[in-house]
Amino acid sequence: MMKAAPWPVMALFALSLALNLWFAGVPDWRWIPAALAAWYVADLLSGLTHMYMDYRPCTPGIGLDRLFHYAGSRESTDYLALRDRVMPRISPFERLVYDFKNHHPRPDALGRRPFLVQIGSTILFVSLPMSLLLNVLCLALAVPGWLVVAAIVLLAGGTLAQYFHGTLHRADNPWIVDAMRKLGLLMTPQAHALHHATLRRDFATNNGWSNPLVNAVFGLATRRGWLHESGLEPR
Ligand SMILES: [Zn+2]
Ligand SMILES: [Zn+2]
């Protein structure tokens, strides 16, 4: 199951991001196209990651299928005992894979998760290492300010991807989410419903700008047999 990142990790991430912002320097017009391009790439990465996680097969025969299809109460001692038996047998990465699949039959659970739980794994495994790497690059080389801004926007879009996905599954969101939807900077729940209706398209969940490209990649990947239907549910 997903966990919030420990607070020293969050503090280090905030510090590292602030340092990167300082490296970006004085704003100029190039920041705007750079930020928009990075906002597209963040959407694309969210889409490709989502596609891979949905279709990557889980370890078969260890009970993940029973957890997935469990019919009774998910608060029962029977369910919790099963979960405690099965989950330690898979890696933290595979737990994330399971979470993506588990999202399809139970979509609203993602929206109910606390903010720091939604973004915890992404920060720990991706955003913090990337942000620290950018710190080092800026220290070692003269990276142009607009490029640093693009990297920061990409980091922000990537870090918040699961949060943005969660907002598509809940009614009460901060005003900024609604404002960004009106501007087309974030996608709408109606647009995301296309994914849940088919599980074969529109994997990107930030703003959906990259979905035409992600859908083309999906078509190619299924035709070539890189992704297979059987990976959608644990067995
Ligand atoms: Zn999905
Ligand atoms: Zn969803």
Side-chain angles (χ1 to χ4, degrees):
M1 298 292 112
M2 284 185 181
K3 282 200 190 76
W7 75 262
V9 169
M10 300 299 296
L12 184 61
F13 182 53
L15 207 67
S16 165
L17 264 189
L19 184 62
N20 282 325
L21 207 55
W22 181 76
F23 278 124
V26 184
D28 70 65
W29 67 270
R30 285 170 300 183
W31 282 29
I32 296 167
L36 288 172
W39 204 232
Y40 175 93
V41 176
D43 185 64
L44 177 63
L45 293 182
S46 88
L48 293 176
T49 306
H50 182 173
M51 181 179 83
Y52 176 74
M53 302 296 252
D54 274 6
Y55 283 84
R56 182 194 181 274
C58 283
T59 308
I62 59 168
L64 284 168
D65 54 332
R66 277 186 292 144
L67 266 188
F68 187 86
H69 293 291
Y70 195 83
S73 162
R74 284 173 187 257
E75 268 134 48
S76 66
T77 46
D78 181 49
Y79 173 81
L80 296 174
L82 179 64
R83 194 188 67 185
D84 291 346
R85 253 197 331 274
V86 173
M87 280 302 168
R89 301 184 61 184
I90 60 175
S91 68
F93 175 72
E94 196 172 341
R95 278 174 227 175
L96 292 180
V97 172
Y98 178 84
D99 270 332
F100 270 84
K101 303 185 196 310
N102 194 43
H103 172 63
H104 297 142
R106 289 166 280 276
D108 293 346
L110 180 63
R112 285 195 296 267
R113 285 188 174 153
F115 178 67
L116 290 180
V117 174
Q118 287 169 332
I119 66 171
S121 316
T122 314
I123 291 182
L124 201 56
F125 293 118
V126 185
S127 312
L128 177 63
M130 288 295 156
S131 185
L132 291 173
L133 182 66
L134 184 60
N135 291 151
V136 174
L137 283 177
C138 288
L139 275 171
L141 309 163
V143 186
W146 61 268
L147 197 55
V148 180
V149 165
I152 292 170
V153 170
L154 178 60
L155 271 174
T159 303
L160 295 173
Q162 276 303 76
Y163 166 73
F164 290 147
H165 187 182
T167 65
L168 295 165
H169 293 288
R170 62 184 294 162
D172 57 324
N173 289 304
W175 67 268
I176 185 133
V177 169
D178 295 317
M180 287 176 77
R181 278 181 192 164
K182 287 209 179 79
L183 291 169
L185 292 171
L186 288 179
M187 90 191 293
T188 62
Q190 291 81 347
H192 180 52
L194 287 174
H195 173 68
H196 282 273
T198 60
L199 306 186
R200 301 182 61 83
R201 56 173 295 182
D202 294 14
F203 295 89
T205 50
N206 279 23
N207 47 46
W209 298 350
S210 71
N211 271 327
L213 177 57
V214 177
N215 291 343
V217 173
F218 179 78
L220 181 73
T222 44
R223 277 196 305 279
R224 293 278 171 94
W226 299 333
L227 299 178
H228 198 269
E229 200 87 11
S230 61
L232 268 176
E233 292 185 358
R235 312 184 147 231

